[in-house]
Amino acid sequence: MKRRGTRVLVVGAGSVGRRHIQNLLSLGAEVSAYRYRRELAAELAQTFGIPVYSSVEEALDDHQDAVVICNRTDQHVAAATAALIRPMTPR
């Protein structure tokens, strides 16, 4: 049986988020992202070959193992709170 990588959601895809995405992929993680600038989501998905969600809630509903918060500082608490109240259940 093939072991799956840790599923990690990266919230935010500016320069810091992109560095985290690249590093996580190099470590074998199954990475997905949430990007609030929807007009740039397709480019992000194509560049890294990852799913990009249109809402944090939708991404969290896809059973993530971990969340990396990389969005704007004034949005950190909202993203972290959303991650904390969603159960991290196995697929």
Side-chain angles (χ1 to χ4, degrees), residues 1-5 28 30 91:
M1 179 167 101
K2 183 182 177 208
R3 185 171 184 264
R4 69 176 179 90
E30 291 182 30
R91 309 185 255 168

Side-chain angles (χ1 to χ4, degrees), residues 10 12-13 16-26 31-33 44 48 50:
V10 176
V16 172
R18 285 175 170 266
R19 279 192 299 270
H20 281 294
I21 290 168
Q22 190 170 28
N23 291 336
L24 288 163
L25 288 171
S26 73
V31 179
S32 60
L44 182 68
F48 292 103
I50 63 171

Side-chain angles (χ1 to χ4, degrees), residues 2-91:
K2 183 182 177 208
R3 185 171 184 264
R4 69 176 179 90
T6 301
R7 295 185 62 154
V8 181
L9 169 65
V10 176
V11 176
S15 64
V16 172
R18 285 175 170 266
R19 279 192 299 270
H20 281 294
I21 290 168
Q22 190 170 28
N23 291 336
L24 288 163
L25 288 171
S26 73
L27 293 170
E30 291 182 30
V31 179
S32 60
Y34 160 68
R35 180 153 203 172
Y36 82 95
R37 294 178 63 188
R38 291 187 180 135
E39 69 276 10
L40 301 175
E43 179 272 329
L44 182 68
Q46 184 177 24
T47 298
F48 292 103
I50 63 171
V52 179
Y53 295 93
S54 59
S55 75
V56 173
E57 292 76 19
E58 177 188 13
L60 292 169
D61 285 343
D62 197 20
H63 308 293
Q64 307 299 329
D65 296 317
V67 179
V68 178
I69 308 294
C70 301
N71 58 348
R72 295 184 341 228
T73 305
D74 66 326
Q75 296 297 313
H76 283 184
V77 172
T81 301
L84 287 169
I85 63 174
R86 286 271 197 290
M88 301 261 186
T89 56
R91 309 185 255 168

